[in-house]
Amino acid sequence: MNDAHAPADAADAPWRRAAAAAGLLGADGSPAPTIFAEMTALAHRTGALNLGQGFPDHAGPAEVTEAAIRAIREGVNQYSPGRGEPDLLAAIAEHQRRFYGLDLQAEQILVTAGATEALAATLLSQLRAGDEIVVLEPYYDAYVALAALAGARIVPVPLRAPDFQPDLDELSAAVGPRTRMILVNSPHNPTGTVLGLELLDRIVDLAHRHDALIVTDEVYEHLAYDVPHVPIATRPGAAERTLSISSAGKVFSVTGWKIGWVSGPARLIEQVMAVKQFLTFVSGAPFQPAVATGLRLPDPFFTGLRGSYRAKRDLLVDALEEAGFTVTVPASGYFALADAAPLGLPDAVAAARDLPERVGVVAVPLSAFARSERTDLRSILRFAFCKSDAVLEDAAARLRSLRA
Ligand SMILES: *Cc1c(COP(=O)(O)O)cnc(C)c1O
């Protein structure tokens, strides 16, 4: 290949400029090498157990996976309606009523290609260039990339050890006249923190005061271990300015299906749909009836899921503590955060590179989910516990050997 004949790079494409400013691209404009890719490669090379990546290694409920197979056999293989299969829209509405007492009409719901597309279409349809978007930091990496794509500016509210709860004053100070959107993620990835009612109500109050939208990412809604999940849309005055996002991936252990949804005021959903139709138009037709089946599963499925993950959490947390880490017991989600400083490992990036060889376990440094100035996160590693008990028990034994 002769590069002289290759087209010139669009270095000044708006996203390239915004993404470079957000640290998502290297100096040469190529995607910044992610620690995730490096750690996965290291796991392959060393044969270490990969607790770096946050996807389940076990099958979802048989009723759900069988329903997808049946749908393919029965010919549900063409474009679905733009808003989503009517029966899935009905199942989402039933789910929101059953678990949270929320009343939704079909025109208040949109099915998307995972929570990721719901986030993309929401941010692209609601943010103007120069708007500010308030996010909890550490954050899910897509938030920063999508804000950059929309030309908006991230205003982070730091979550700090040991409990990773936002400080009310810092939260209030982050919201101002330029704030267009407050992006809530509770249950929170990667800290596992769950926002209490006082915080949720403060966010609603701030959104009203500055006429901001609330966008809430609730993909871990069924994985809150200690207190029940409370959607911010159920709080007084919130529903009229809140877009709520969730997904089938985490709750039914089918992260590859990419079926998500966003719900809220019909006028806003209309605007989100206007963007969504040109991102993917539609996706995952045979998975949509399967997800409807999942959302209608009886309560024991949801309590069983929670109980099983709580046990996995406890197994991993105990092992990390015995190994000598300082661990924050996560109130929700797939991940445990462990401070490696007490083990004489003050740099989690170095520790993550060292652990696979030393004990055969892969984790990722928490710094990957925050700005580089968050030096308080420097010694913290993130371990996923969404793995089979056999893998977790093996990992636990390996981690305990760190102590020796
Ligand atoms: C996994 C995850 C998503 C993405 O969900 P998909 O349905 O796979 O697109 C969004 N937000 C958070 C916090 C997540 O952990």
Side-chain angles (χ1 to χ4, degrees):
M1 252 246 315
N2 183 346
D3 268 359
H5 296 293
D9 287 345
D12 59 348
W15 188 71
R16 285 275 287 271
R17 268 186 281 134
L24 300 171
L25 297 177
D28 64 350
S30 58
T34 71
I35 190 81
F36 305 102
E38 182 188 335
M39 287 301 127
T40 298
L42 198 54
H44 284 300
R45 196 166 69 243
T46 60
L49 298 172
N50 193 350
L51 304 189
Q53 285 184 315
F55 64 85
D57 64 357
H58 43 271
E63 298 95 312
V64 175
T65 51
E66 287 300 324
I69 293 165
R70 207 163 49 238
I72 291 173
R73 287 219 177 91
E74 288 172 0
V76 187
N77 297 306
Q78 308 307 328
Y79 297 129
S80 40
R83 186 182 290 281
E85 282 296 341
D87 190 51
L88 176 55
L89 298 174
I92 293 166
E94 285 165 33
H95 173 276
Q96 296 303 89
R97 192 169 312 118
R98 168 178 158 201
F99 287 101
Y100 311 123
L102 283 167
D103 253 314
L104 293 172
Q105 307 304 312
E107 65 268 23
Q108 295 178 279
I109 308 170
L110 174 65
V111 174
T112 54
T116 305
E117 191 194 32
L119 285 161
T122 297
L123 268 57
L124 290 173
S125 68
Q126 302 300 322
L127 291 171
R128 298 156 301 192
D131 278 347
E132 289 183 357
I133 164 173
V134 173
V135 300
L136 305 173
E137 181 194 46
Y139 33 67
Y140 187 63
D141 52 359
Y143 301 162
V144 186
L146 293 169
L149 205 49
R153 204 171 74 80
I154 288 272
V155 178
V157 175
L159 307 180
R160 299 187 189 87
D163 63 358
F164 294 100
Q165 286 282 321
D167 175 79
L168 277 177
D169 293 333
E170 285 179 332
L171 174 66
S172 301
V175 186
R178 288 173 177 279
T179 307
R180 167 73 178 154
M181 187 181 287
I182 305 173
L183 178 43
V184 182
N185 173 213
S186 177
H188 184 261
N189 174 8
T191 68
T193 216
V194 172
L195 302 186
L197 298 187
E198 189 193 359
L199 270 158
L200 296 181
D201 290 343
R202 176 68 69 96
I203 291 167
V204 177
D205 178 53
L206 288 164
H208 270 277
R209 223 176 308 152
H210 298 283
D211 196 27
L213 273 173
I214 299 166
V215 174
T216 173
D217 177 343
E218 304 184 350
V219 302
Y220 295 102
E221 61 185 309
H222 287 292
L223 296 178
Y225 306 122
D226 304 331
V227 291
H229 166 62
V230 177
I232 194 168
T234 63
R235 303 304 298 162
E240 69 211 47
R241 55 177 67 243
T242 299
L243 286 164
S244 304
I245 292 171
S246 195
S247 162
K250 308 287 160 61
V251 62
F252 302 122
S253 308
V254 291
T255 57
W257 285 11
K258 297 297 268 190
I259 300 294
W261 49 90
V262 48
S263 62
R267 182 181 53 85
L268 296 178
I269 290 294
E270 202 67 37
Q271 295 165 4
V272 175
M273 196 170 157
V275 172
K276 184 260 185 306
Q277 70 181 329
F278 297 117
L279 291 176
T280 59
F281 174 42
V282 293
S283 62
F287 299 129
Q288 294 194 26
V291 171
T293 299
L295 291 172
R296 290 176 173 131
L297 286 174
D299 289 352
F301 164 74
F302 295 94
T303 45
L305 177 82
R306 197 156 50 238
S308 136
Y309 271 104
R310 191 190 288 116
K312 290 178 191 298
R313 170 194 74 173
D314 294 346
L315 199 169
L316 181 65
V317 165
D318 286 352
L320 289 167
E321 281 176 345
E322 280 176 43
F325 291 94
T326 301
V327 188
T328 299
V329 180
S332 67
Y334 274 2
F335 305 106
L337 300 184
D339 192 333
L343 284 161
L345 303 167
D347 176 356
V349 175
R353 290 185 172 130
D354 182 43
L355 277 183
E357 300 277 8
R358 222 161 116 194
V359 291
V361 175
V362 169
V364 292
L366 185 59
S367 57
F369 307 89
R371 294 161 305 150
S372 53
E373 47 268 54
R374 284 295 302 276
T375 51
D376 61 308
L377 306 178
R378 198 176 277 166
S379 57
I380 303 176
L381 287 161
R382 188 194 81 166
F383 292 83
F385 54 84
C386 49
K387 306 294 174 187
S388 69
D389 290 346
V391 167
L392 288 175
E393 274 156 22
D394 190 358
R398 294 179 188 206
L399 286 165
R400 285 196 183 94
S401 74
L402 265 178
R403 193 64 157 193

Coordinates of all heavy atoms in Angstrom, one line a residue, residues 194-229:
V194 N -25.1 3.5 45.2 CA -26.5 3.7 44.9 C -26.9 5.0 45.5 O -26.6 5.3 46.7 CB -27.4 2.6 45.5 CG1 -28.9 2.9 45.3 CG2 -27.1 1.2 44.8
L195 N -27.5 5.9 44.7 CA -27.8 7.2 45.3 C -29.1 7.2 46.1 O -30.1 6.6 45.7 CB -28.1 8.2 44.1 CG -26.9 8.4 43.1 CD1 -27.2 9.6 42.2 CD2 -25.6 8.7 43.9
G196 N -29.0 7.8 47.3 CA -30.1 7.8 48.2 C -31.2 8.8 47.8 O -31.0 9.6 46.9
L197 N -32.3 8.8 48.5 CA -33.4 9.7 48.1 C -33.1 11.1 48.3 O -33.5 12.0 47.4 CB -34.6 9.4 49.0 CG -35.2 8.0 48.9 CD1 -36.5 7.8 49.7 CD2 -35.5 7.6 47.4
E198 N -32.3 11.5 49.3 CA -31.9 12.9 49.4 C -31.1 13.4 48.2 O -31.4 14.5 47.7 CB -31.1 13.0 50.7 CG -30.8 14.5 51.1 CD -29.7 14.6 52.2 OE1 -29.2 13.6 52.6 OE2 -29.5 15.8 52.5
L199 N -30.2 12.6 47.7 CA -29.4 13.0 46.6 C -30.3 13.0 45.3 O -30.2 14.0 44.5 CB -28.3 12.0 46.3 CG -27.0 12.3 47.1 CD1 -26.2 11.1 47.2 CD2 -26.2 13.4 46.3
L200 N -31.2 12.1 45.1 CA -32.1 12.1 44.0 C -32.9 13.4 44.0 O -33.1 14.0 43.0 CB -33.0 10.8 44.0 CG -32.3 9.5 43.8 CD1 -33.3 8.4 43.8 CD2 -31.4 9.4 42.5
D201 N -33.4 13.7 45.2 CA -34.3 14.9 45.3 C -33.5 16.2 45.0 O -34.0 17.1 44.5 CB -35.0 14.9 46.6 CG -36.1 13.8 46.7 OD1 -36.5 13.3 45.6 OD2 -36.6 13.5 47.8
R202 N -32.2 16.2 45.5 CA -31.4 17.3 45.2 C -31.2 17.5 43.7 O -31.2 18.6 43.2 CB -30.1 17.2 46.0 CG -29.1 18.4 45.7 CD -29.6 19.7 46.3 NE -29.5 19.7 47.7 CZ -28.5 20.2 48.4 NH1 -27.5 20.8 47.8 NH2 -28.6 20.1 49.7
I203 N -31.0 16.4 43.0 CA -30.8 16.5 41.6 C -32.0 17.0 40.9 O -31.9 17.9 40.0 CB -30.4 15.1 41.0 CG1 -29.0 14.7 41.5 CG2 -30.4 15.0 39.5 CD1 -28.6 13.2 41.3
V204 N -33.2 16.5 41.3 CA -34.4 17.0 40.7 C -34.6 18.5 41.0 O -34.9 19.3 40.1 CB -35.6 16.3 41.3 CG1 -37.0 16.8 40.7 CG2 -35.5 14.8 41.0
D205 N -34.3 18.9 42.2 CA -34.3 20.4 42.6 C -33.4 21.2 41.7 O -33.8 22.3 41.2 CB -34.0 20.5 44.1 CG -34.1 21.9 44.5 OD1 -35.1 22.6 44.3 OD2 -33.0 22.4 45.1
L206 N -32.2 20.7 41.5 CA -31.2 21.5 40.7 C -31.6 21.5 39.3 O -31.5 22.6 38.6 CB -29.8 20.8 40.8 CG -29.1 20.9 42.2 CD1 -27.9 19.9 42.3 CD2 -28.6 22.4 42.4
A207 N -32.2 20.4 38.8 CA -32.6 20.4 37.4 C -33.7 21.4 37.2 O -33.8 22.2 36.2 CB -33.1 19.0 37.0
H208 N -34.7 21.5 38.1 CA -35.7 22.5 38.0 C -35.2 23.9 38.1 O -35.5 24.8 37.3 CB -36.7 22.4 39.2 CG -37.8 21.4 38.9 ND1 -38.9 21.8 38.2 CD2 -38.0 20.1 39.1 CE1 -39.7 20.8 38.0 NE2 -39.2 19.7 38.6
R209 N -34.2 24.2 39.0 CA -33.7 25.5 39.2 C -33.0 26.0 38.0 O -33.0 27.2 37.7 CB -32.8 25.5 40.4 CG -33.1 26.8 41.2 CD -32.3 26.9 42.5 NE -32.3 25.7 43.4 CZ -31.4 25.4 44.2 NH1 -30.2 26.1 44.2 NH2 -31.5 24.3 45.0
H210 N -32.3 25.1 37.2 CA -31.5 25.5 36.1 C -32.1 25.0 34.8 O -31.5 25.1 33.7 CB -30.1 25.0 36.2 CG -29.4 25.6 37.5 ND1 -28.9 26.9 37.5 CD2 -29.2 25.1 38.7 CE1 -28.4 27.1 38.7 NE2 -28.6 26.1 39.4
D211 N -33.4 24.6 34.8 CA -34.1 24.1 33.7 C -33.3 23.1 32.9 O -33.1 23.2 31.7 CB -34.5 25.3 32.8 CG -35.6 24.9 31.7 OD1 -36.3 23.9 32.1 OD2 -35.6 25.4 30.7
A212 N -32.7 22.1 33.6 CA -31.9 21.1 33.0 C -32.7 19.8 32.8 O -33.7 19.6 33.5 CB -30.7 20.8 33.8
L213 N -32.3 19.0 31.9 CA -32.9 17.6 31.7 C -32.2 16.7 32.6 O -31.0 16.8 32.9 CB -32.6 17.1 30.3 CG -33.5 17.5 29.2 CD1 -32.9 16.9 27.9 CD2 -34.9 16.7 29.4
I214 N -32.9 15.6 33.1 CA -32.2 14.6 33.8 C -32.2 13.3 32.9 O -33.3 13.0 32.3 CB -33.0 14.2 35.1 CG1 -33.1 15.4 36.0 CG2 -32.4 13.0 35.8 CD1 -34.1 15.3 37.2
V215 N -31.0 12.8 32.7 CA -30.9 11.5 31.9 C -30.4 10.5 32.9 O -29.4 10.7 33.6 CB -30.0 11.6 30.7 CG1 -29.8 10.3 30.1 CG2 -30.6 12.6 29.7
T216 N -31.1 9.3 33.0 CA -30.7 8.4 34.0 C -30.4 7.0 33.4 O -31.2 6.5 32.7 CB -31.7 8.3 35.2 OG1 -31.4 7.2 36.1 CG2 -33.1 8.1 34.7
D217 N -29.2 6.5 33.7 CA -28.8 5.2 33.1 C -29.0 4.2 34.3 O -28.3 4.2 35.3 CB -27.3 5.3 32.7 CG -26.7 4.0 32.2 OD1 -27.3 2.9 32.5 OD2 -25.6 4.1 31.6
E218 N -30.0 3.3 34.1 CA -30.4 2.4 35.1 C -30.2 0.9 34.7 O -31.0 0.0 35.1 CB -31.8 2.7 35.5 CG -32.0 4.1 36.0 CD -33.3 4.5 36.5 OE1 -34.3 3.7 36.4 OE2 -33.4 5.7 37.0
V219 N -29.1 0.6 33.9 CA -29.0 -0.7 33.4 C -28.7 -1.8 34.5 O -29.0 -3.0 34.3 CB -27.8 -0.9 32.3 CG1 -28.1 0.1 31.2 CG2 -26.5 -0.6 32.9
Y220 N -28.3 -1.3 35.7 CA -28.1 -2.2 36.8 C -29.3 -2.2 37.8 O -29.2 -2.5 39.0 CB -26.8 -1.9 37.6 CG -25.6 -2.2 36.7 CD1 -24.9 -1.1 36.1 CD2 -25.2 -3.5 36.5 CE1 -23.8 -1.4 35.3 CE2 -24.1 -3.7 35.7 CZ -23.4 -2.7 35.1 OH -22.3 -2.9 34.3
E221 N -30.5 -1.8 37.3 CA -31.7 -1.6 38.2 C -32.0 -2.9 39.0 O -32.5 -2.7 40.1 CB -32.9 -1.2 37.4 CG -33.3 -2.2 36.3 CD -34.5 -1.6 35.4 OE1 -35.5 -1.1 36.0 OE2 -34.3 -1.7 34.2
H222 N -31.8 -4.1 38.5 CA -32.1 -5.3 39.2 C -30.9 -5.9 40.0 O -31.0 -7.0 40.5 CB -32.7 -6.3 38.3 CG -34.1 -6.0 37.9 ND1 -35.2 -6.0 38.7 CD2 -34.6 -5.6 36.7 CE1 -36.3 -5.6 38.1 NE2 -35.9 -5.3 36.9
L223 N -29.9 -5.1 40.1 CA -28.7 -5.6 40.8 C -28.3 -4.6 41.9 O -27.1 -4.3 42.1 CB -27.5 -5.8 39.8 CG -27.7 -6.8 38.7 CD1 -26.5 -6.9 37.8 CD2 -28.0 -8.2 39.4
A224 N -29.3 -4.2 42.7 CA -29.1 -3.4 43.9 C -29.2 -4.3 45.1 O -30.3 -4.9 45.3 CB -30.0 -2.2 44.0
Y225 N -28.1 -4.5 45.8 CA -28.1 -5.6 46.8 C -28.6 -5.3 48.2 O -29.1 -6.1 48.9 CB -26.6 -6.2 46.9 CG -26.1 -6.5 45.5 CD1 -24.9 -5.9 45.0 CD2 -26.8 -7.4 44.7 CE1 -24.5 -6.3 43.8 CE2 -26.3 -7.8 43.5 CZ -25.2 -7.2 43.0 OH -24.8 -7.5 41.8
D226 N -28.5 -4.0 48.6 CA -28.8 -3.7 50.0 C -30.1 -3.0 50.1 O -30.9 -3.3 51.0 CB -27.6 -2.9 50.6 CG -26.3 -3.6 50.4 OD1 -26.3 -4.9 50.4 OD2 -25.2 -3.0 50.3
V227 N -30.3 -2.0 49.3 CA -31.6 -1.3 49.3 C -32.2 -1.3 47.9 O -31.5 -1.4 46.9 CB -31.4 0.2 49.7 CG1 -31.0 0.3 51.2 CG2 -30.4 0.9 48.8
P228 N -33.6 -1.3 47.8 CA -34.2 -1.4 46.5 C -33.8 -0.2 45.6 O -33.7 0.9 46.1 CB -35.7 -1.5 46.8 CG -35.8 -1.6 48.2 CD -34.6 -1.2 48.9
H229 N -33.7 -0.5 44.3 CA -33.4 0.6 43.4 C -34.7 1.6 43.3 O -35.8 1.1 43.1 CB -33.2 0.0 42.0 CG -33.2 1.0 40.9 ND1 -32.3 2.1 40.8 CD2 -34.0 1.1 39.8 CE1 -32.6 2.8 39.7 NE2 -33.6 2.2 39.1

